[in-house]
Amino acid sequence: MPVSAAATPAATDSATDAAVCAPLPVLGRDVLVPLVTGGEVEYAALDIAASAPALQRVWDDVAAYAPYYGSVHRGAGYLSQLSTDLFENSRAEVARFLGCREGDQLVFTRSTTDSLNLLAAVLPAHTRVFVFETEHHASLLPWEQRADIEVTYLDAPRTPQQAVDTLERALAEREPGSASEGFEKSGGGAQRSGNALVCVTGASNVTGELWPVRELAAAAHAHGARIVLDAAQLAPHHPVDLAELDVDWVAFSGHKLYAPFGAGVLAGRADWLQAAEPYLAGGGASRTVARRADGGVDVDWHTTAARHEAGSPNVIGVYAIAAACKALTEAGFESLVAREQQLVERVRAGLAEVPEVTVLSLFGDDAPRVGVLSFVVAGWNSSHFAAALSAEYGIGVRDGLFCAHPLVRTLLGAGSQAPGECGAPEGAPGEQSLNAIRVSFGAGTPDEHVDRFVRAVKELVTDGARWSYRTEDGRCVPDTAAAG
C-alpha cells in the first residue's frame, strides 16, 4: 500500500498535538498511511525494538553537518580535519554515555551483530563462552564461527536468581584449561586457568524483561570470567554504565537508539582487542606497510580503536549515535524511564482485560521491563493479527520469532526442534504456529499510539477483522480483491 510521506495541514496539527506527549519527537511522526477500510491515519510506529525512527534532533544535527562531510583521518583539507574532529569527539561523547573507564577502548562498528562478531573474532584461542539460550541471534551465534572456541548454552531461567545460579554452576563446573598467557585474576575472585566469556542481554528483545546484569557480572568475575553485555534493547530505555554494571564490554546499535544511520558500538577492555589480528585488514587499521625482500609485506597495525576500524569510517552514523546519546542524556533518563513505565503499565493493563491475550514472560508478570512486550491471541495466527493492526488501524508491530528462536519456542511451549522461522505465518494443518506479536515503544512514542493499539487489540478480539487476508510470499496481507 502506498504511504503518504507528507501530512495535510489539518493532519499536521493533529500529529503535532499527539507528539507533544512524547518527550523526544521523532522523524515520521506526521506520516499518514492508508487504511484498507478507507481514509488515512497517522502511522503508529510500535516496532521500535527492530529499528527506532530517528530523533528529530538527530536528523537536524546530521543535516547541519552534511554540507561539511569529508573523509576521516585521510586528508589535510578543512572538511577532512573538521570531520575527523567530529568523529573523534563523537567517540568521546559515546564513551561518556556508556561510562567508559580509563583504559577502555570504544570501536565503531555497523551494529550490535557486527560488534559481537568482532568480539568473537578477537577472543584468545580456547576461550570458553557461556551464553543463555534466551539471547538474540546476534549474541547467540557469533561464537560458533570459531572452531577453537567452546560454547556452552545455558537453559532459559525462570527467575533472575535462577539465571545467576545457573551461571554460577556452569562456571564452577568448567574444566580448567592449561596455564598460559590467558591466565587472569578478575574481579577479586578465585583464580582459574584459561579464558572464559559470558554473554548476556540487558533487556530481552522478546519480553522486554530486565536481566540481573550486575549480579551476573559478579558471578562471572568471581570465577575468573569476563562478561559482555548486549545492550541493544537496554541502551535506548535505561542508562548503561560499564563501571557501575562492572561489565567488561558492551555492544549496541545506533538504529535502535534513534540513530538509524548504519553504525554500532563495541566498548570495553582493550587488551584482547589490541592483541588480536585486525577484524578487517585494510587502510586505517595499518600504521605502516613495507615490502620485504622475499616479496611479501610487513604490516605494523594500530593498537588503538583504529585497529578494528579499517576502511572509510561511517562518520554520519557515528555522529548520529553521539547526537542520540546527548539527546537522551540531556532529556534525563530518570524522567524518560518513568514516563515509559507509565506506557508499559497502560499496555499491560489493557491487554490484561482481554482473556484471549497471553503476554509472554520468563520472570513473571511483575518483572521489571522496558517498553517491549510480546503476546499471542487465542484463535488468531500472529501474522494475521499483526496484518490487521497495520491495514485496519495504521499500527506497525512485529510478528514472528524475533531472531530469538530458542527463547520464543520455550515461551510458546514448543520443542527446540519445532519448525518455524522469523516471520513464519501459519504452520501446516495440525501443526503449532510458531509466532508471536511484539509491540515496542519508547521516548518518541506519543500516548495516542499506545492507546490506539490497546483499543485495536480489544476490537479485533471482540469483533474480528473487517477485511479479508491472504498469504503472499510467506506473509499475511490484505486481500485487495476483497470487498471488505
Side-chain angles (χ1 to χ4, degrees), residues 131-456:
V131 56
F132 286 93
E133 66 172 354
T134 48
E135 293 294 309
H136 185 281
H137 294 173
S139 49
L140 189 74
L141 301 180
W143 328 107
E144 290 284 355
Q145 307 307 303
R146 290 277 301 273
D148 59 348
I149 296 299
E150 181 179 349
V151 186
T152 299
Y153 295 104
L154 307 176
D155 292 340
R158 287 300 185 168
T159 66
Q161 185 58 50
Q162 189 179 73
V164 177
D165 293 342
T166 298
L167 179 62
E168 285 269 13
R169 284 194 300 271
L171 291 172
E173 292 170 1
R174 85 182 196 268
E175 293 181 3
S178 59
S180 67
E181 293 180 10
F183 179 86
E184 66 181 54
K185 186 174 181 181
S186 176
Q191 293 183 348
R192 293 290 186 274
S193 296
N195 293 296
L197 176 72
V198 176
C199 181
V200 68
T201 187
S204 170
N205 77 302
V206 176
T207 67
E209 291 166 311
L210 296 173
W211 277 61
V213 177
R214 271 192 211 87
E215 293 82 356
L216 291 168
H221 291 154
H223 290 275
R226 300 188 184 189
I227 184 168
V228 56
L229 172 65
D230 174 355
Q233 299 297 339
L234 184 64
H237 304 276
H238 271 270
V240 175
D241 189 300
L242 276 86
E244 182 183 354
L245 294 173
D246 197 23
V247 295
D248 297 282
W249 292 277
V250 63
F252 73 91
S253 297
H255 73 98
K256 297 184 189 297
L257 195 79
Y258 306 98
F261 294 92
V265 170
L266 175 68
R269 296 178 63 160
D271 54 349
W272 288 0
L273 291 167
Q274 292 173 347
E277 291 297 305
Y279 183 47
L280 297 173
S286 57
R287 281 192 291 212
T288 62
V289 179
R291 288 292 302 274
R292 295 197 306 264
D294 63 6
V297 294
D298 287 323
V299 184
D300 180 21
W301 302 105
H302 280 291
T303 57
T304 63
R307 185 183 189 87
H308 300 291
E309 292 177 346
S312 296
N314 177 8
V315 62
I316 291 286
V318 165
Y319 181 47
I321 289 180
C325 290
K326 190 172 184 180
L328 289 166
T329 299
E330 292 180 354
F333 253 123
E334 185 175 338
S335 62
L336 294 178
V337 169
R339 190 247 177 186
E340 184 176 315
Q341 288 309 301
Q342 292 176 354
L343 296 183
V344 169
E345 291 309 313
R346 282 161 75 166
V347 171
R348 292 179 62 185
L351 295 180
E353 295 174 357
V354 186
E356 293 83 355
V357 171
T358 300
V359 176
L360 305 182
S361 174
L362 272 175
F363 301 152
D365 292 340
D366 296 331
R369 69 179 74 206
V370 299
V372 178
L373 295 93
S374 295
F375 62 98
V376 291
V377 184
W380 284 81
N381 173 267
S382 295
S383 181
H384 184 192
F385 201 89
L389 285 173
S390 175
E392 300 178 28
Y393 295 91
I395 299 170
V397 296
R398 181 152 296 228
D399 66 280
L401 299 178
F402 318 125
C403 291
H405 294 191
L407 171 56
V408 179
R409 286 171 177 160
T410 295
L411 295 173
L412 293 179
S416 60
Q417 301 304 314
E421 58 186 58
C422 286
E426 192 66 72
E431 180 181 89
Q432 181 176 0
S433 176
L434 288 175
N435 56 349
I437 306 151
R438 184 181 69 191
V439 58
S440 51
F441 43 87
T445 304
D447 291 18
E448 187 276 329
H449 292 183
V450 167
D451 293 339
R452 192 198 318 170
F453 164 76
V454 172
R455 184 174 66 252

